[in-house]
Amino acid sequence: MPVIKLKHVTKDYGHGRGIFDISFKVEEGEVFGFLGPNGAGKTTTIRHLMGFTKAQDGELYINGKNCWQQAANIKRDVGYLPGELAFPKSMTGNHFIKFMAEERQITNMTRTEKLKKLFELDTSEEIKEMSLGTKRKLAIVTAFMHNPKILILDEPTSGLDPVMQERFIQFVLNEKAEGKTILLSSHIFSEVDATCDRIAIIKEGVVVSTIDSSQLKQNSNKAFKIEFASPEDYQKFMENTKFIIPIERPEQNQVKLNLTDEKMKQLFTELTKVKVNFISEIKFTLEDYFMDFYDRKKTVADAEENLQYGLH
């Protein structure tokens, strides 16, 4: 049984706003990326998972428990990091951590102290005086302090500086190594790419693709850009090549083409007959795949074909 499961979840706020027929599941020990820009529906989906909002249609489960009917029980099992932070302003960081420890019946604060040290968090300050980055670190510590087996993280590194963002990514990888199940919602490609086993892309409230990250990282199809030394070399190559050239730039003496590893030898055989200024491989990335879905001229089929051939 998957740890997290959504089945055809819809919440229609009207005027095209909301989430529509959302379905995905997160297996035990998996880091699942939920990728989309602000306003795409990531936070709305997570609020349904946490039992803050009731779906109009569909069902949501965490550990087999209905997210709306058993929300209180689920919250005890989950480490939740919200995208929008709201703290009691009258408290210091120390008071808030003490309050959360009492709520979760934590008596051994060793893990909490380790987390504070890891993220260089000063909890003596009043929360209302804290910077956004410090508030984010406080939220991280309180989300992880009870060592939950399930983590739901909504834009977890928003407001963190680059050093802390990298530290958080490494921390998530360590949690993953310990078998934690993690749903990570983000619009930052680098953190999704670095941590996630599978990724769902959401656009305008609809999941338009779910992909194994290994498909991107282990793609054997490659794209190359070649610039020839002269218009004559460019023309000679174009007249004699056996490859299909999807992109031609005669004014720059350049071509872009796509091929599998098996065709590499043939390409370099053809290039020995002309002079080139350079040949460079174009990496096909998660960002490339994502942006295909946000190019209104392209369809889902186009994006999936581009993954197959390494095009962008």
Side-chain angles (χ1 to χ4, degrees), residues 31 81 115 118-119 136-137 139-141 143-144 151-158 160-176 182-186 188 191-192 194-195:
V31 181
L81 182 57
L115 289 168
L118 176 65
F119 291 105
R136 178 61 61 185
K137 289 191 282 187
I140 290 171
V141 169
F144 287 88
L151 297 155
I152 297 178
L153 313 175
D154 190 5
E155 301 286 354
T157 63
S158 175
L160 296 182
D161 63 47
V163 172
M164 284 299 144
Q165 287 179 0
E166 186 59 35
R167 194 166 297 181
F168 181 82
I169 288 171
Q170 189 56 54
F171 177 68
V172 168
L173 291 173
N174 291 340
E175 293 289 284
K176 175 183 176 180
I182 303 171
L183 172 62
L184 191 154
S185 163
S186 180
I188 301 174
E191 70 183 18
V192 172
T195 59

Side-chain angles (χ1 to χ4, degrees), residues 211-259:
I211 183 173
D212 289 338
S213 60
S214 60
Q215 285 183 260
L216 293 166
K217 294 175 182 177
Q218 298 174 7
N219 189 0
S220 63
N221 300 293
K222 296 179 173 62
F224 289 92
K225 180 166 72 172
I226 305 167
E227 181 176 294
F228 297 91
S230 68
E232 292 75 21
D233 289 299
Y234 171 86
Q235 192 62 37
K236 183 178 179 181
F237 176 81
M238 294 298 292
E239 289 174 354
N240 294 286
T241 185
K242 295 180 180 179
F243 291 101
I244 296 172
I245 308 296
I247 300 176
E248 303 174 17
R249 292 179 177 167
E251 71 283 359
Q252 298 174 317
N253 301 322
Q254 290 182 356
V255 297
K256 289 186 180 179
L257 74 161
N258 311 280
L259 66 161

Side-chain angles (χ1 to χ4, degrees), residues 78-89:
V78 172
Y80 170 55
L81 182 57
E84 298 176 3
L85 302 177
F87 293 103
K89 295 181 180 179

Side-chain angles (χ1 to χ4, degrees), residues 91-110:
M91 288 185 176
T92 65
N94 283 327
H95 290 149
F96 183 70
I97 284 178
K98 182 180 178 182
F99 168 75
M100 292 302 296
E102 290 172 353
E103 283 289 304
R104 291 169 172 159
Q105 300 179 339
I106 300 171
T107 55
N108 185 342
M109 300 297 287
T110 302

Side-chain angles (χ1 to χ4, degrees), residues 113 120 189 203 211 254 272 283:
E113 291 302 318
E120 300 177 13
F189 299 110
K203 177 182 179 181
I211 183 173
Q254 290 182 356
T272 60
K283 299 290 186 181

Side-chain angles (χ1 to χ4, degrees), residues 114-141:
K114 286 182 178 178
L115 289 168
K116 286 170 59 178
K117 184 176 180 180
L118 176 65
F119 291 105
E120 300 177 13
L121 174 62
D122 178 5
T123 54
S124 63
E125 191 176 10
E126 288 191 3
I127 295 175
K128 64 182 179 181
E129 302 296 332
M130 288 180 176
S131 67
L132 175 60
T134 303
K135 288 178 181 177
R136 178 61 61 185
K137 289 191 282 187
L138 178 61
I140 290 171
V141 169

